[in-house]
Amino acid sequence: MTKTIFPFDSQISYEQRKEAMMQEPRLIWLTGLSGSGKSTLALRLEHYFFFKHFKVFILDGDNMRSGLCSDLGFSEEDRKENLRRVGEVSKLMLDAGLTVICAFISPSGEDRSAIKNIVGEQRFIEVYVNCTVEVCEERDVKGLYAKARKGLIPNFTGVSAPYDPPALPDVEVHTAEETVEESMYKIIKLVEPAISLQTLQAYYCI
Ligand SMILES: Nc1ncnc2c1ncn2[C@@H]1O[C@H](COP(=O)(O)OS(=O)(=O)O)[C@@H](OP(=O)(O)O)[C@H]1O
Ligand SMILES: Nc1ncnc2c1ncn2[C@@H]1O[C@H](COP(=O)(O)OP(=O)(O)O)[C@@H](O)[C@H]1O
């Protein structure tokens, strides 16, 4: 095949970018059922890191699917393509030096591994937002479970489509048993090992 694509390297090295941004770029990947707590944790983590002077940005399922991925649905192939695009966008953001927080159901272990390969294993932090489908359904934050049970939403994760839990996540939070701050603490600890739960609770004046 004739070569027609010629990617170029920037004159600014990755090391120079990290130094300028004063941080180690990382992707915090939140995976879990709808209603498990991904968006809540992503927003609270972004707020925490932003005011700690991290250069941080969120990518979230509903937002990506309103723009870059608006042509995709929820079949296995469409979810794979959705997550491939998110992986590639995350890679660019990491290469630019950002801390990226992603909140996607990402139900397939194979698709999550593919993202880890795209961005590089050492930059990928997998967070399993663990919550039973019963509790998620009781929460029914967006009223989607009720619609899915009535058969109005096909391929709904946890109801009519599978969720394959991570076997070895970097951290697992149990949102039915923990407060939001307790779950946040477990995640922040991977980035800031010196943080204590008391410090975090004091930060929120709890
Ligand atoms: N069939 C079906 N299954 C699951 N979720 C559905 C579905 N249809 C729409 N929604 C809404 O889409 C949000 C999940 O999009 P994601 O991009 O995170 O999904 S995936 O990672 O590609 O599986 C999800 O957001 P969260 O509730 O925040 O998880 C829903 O609002
Ligand atoms: N420890 C926790 N972490 C995150 N969310 C929690 C926690 N405990 C209770 N919740 C509640 O669970 C719900 C999760 O909803 P949401 O964040 O929209 O889920 P998702 O983005 O996974 O669909 C929110 O109402 C949130 O307040």
Side-chain angles (χ1 to χ4, degrees):
M1 209 156 92
T2 314
K3 185 174 154 123
T4 54
I5 305 291
F6 300 88
F8 63 84
D9 286 326
S10 166
Q11 291 181 2
I12 315 295
S13 72
Y14 184 52
E15 293 307 319
Q16 284 173 311
R17 256 178 233 285
K18 286 199 291 188
E19 206 179 315
M21 299 291 261
M22 294 187 293
Q23 63 180 29
E24 198 58 50
R26 285 196 188 84
L27 171 56
I28 300 174
W29 187 274
L30 304 164
T31 170
L33 293 171
S34 176
S36 59
K38 303 179 300 297
S39 311
T40 301
L41 288 170
L43 288 165
R44 291 287 296 273
L45 288 167
E46 181 187 46
H47 185 274
Y48 174 85
F49 284 124
F50 184 85
F51 287 102
K52 285 278 205 111
H53 305 292
F54 282 71
K55 282 82 181 174
V56 59
F57 200 76
I58 292 186
L59 298 175
D60 166 274
D62 283 319
N63 293 345
M64 287 296 281
R65 284 173 173 281
S66 306
L68 183 61
C69 300
S70 59
D71 56 323
L72 301 173
F74 288 88
S75 65
E76 251 178 63
E77 308 76 68
D78 278 9
R79 289 183 201 245
K80 189 181 280 303
E81 175 58 13
N82 176 44
L83 297 169
R84 186 193 70 77
R85 289 183 201 174
V86 174
E88 292 290 351
V89 171
S90 299
K91 179 184 184 303
L92 294 174
M93 295 175 96
L94 290 167
D95 289 347
L98 293 172
T99 296
V100 186
I101 302 173
C102 279
F104 292 85
I105 296 179
S106 44
S108 143
E110 194 182 298
D111 293 349
R112 292 190 300 267
S113 291
I115 294 154
K116 194 195 275 198
N117 285 334
I118 291 171
V119 304
E121 193 169 351
Q122 71 294 345
R123 303 198 290 190
F124 184 83
I125 297 176
E126 186 175 52
V127 181
Y128 176 23
V129 184
N130 189 346
C131 186
T132 62
V133 71
E134 289 76 17
V135 172
C136 292
E137 190 159 0
E138 207 171 294
R139 288 177 180 162
D140 208 1
V141 182
K142 299 172 183 162
L144 295 178
Y145 282 91
K147 287 188 183 144
R149 290 289 177 201
K150 284 187 195 153
L152 299 174
I153 309 176
N155 300 323
F156 194 78
T157 314
V159 174
S160 49
Y163 179 81
D164 172 19
L168 278 175
D170 296 292
V171 63
E172 181 167 337
V173 296
H174 298 267
T175 66
E177 289 111 50
E178 297 163 9
T179 63
V180 175
E181 289 72 26
E182 285 166 343
S183 299
M184 284 175 72
Y185 165 69
K186 286 174 151 184
I187 301 166
I188 294 171
K189 210 166 163 46
L190 295 181
V191 177
E192 289 187 323
I195 183 91
S196 74
L197 181 57
Q198 288 72 20
T199 313
L200 189 66
Q201 287 173 332
Y203 183 79
Y204 290 108
C205 307
I206 291 165

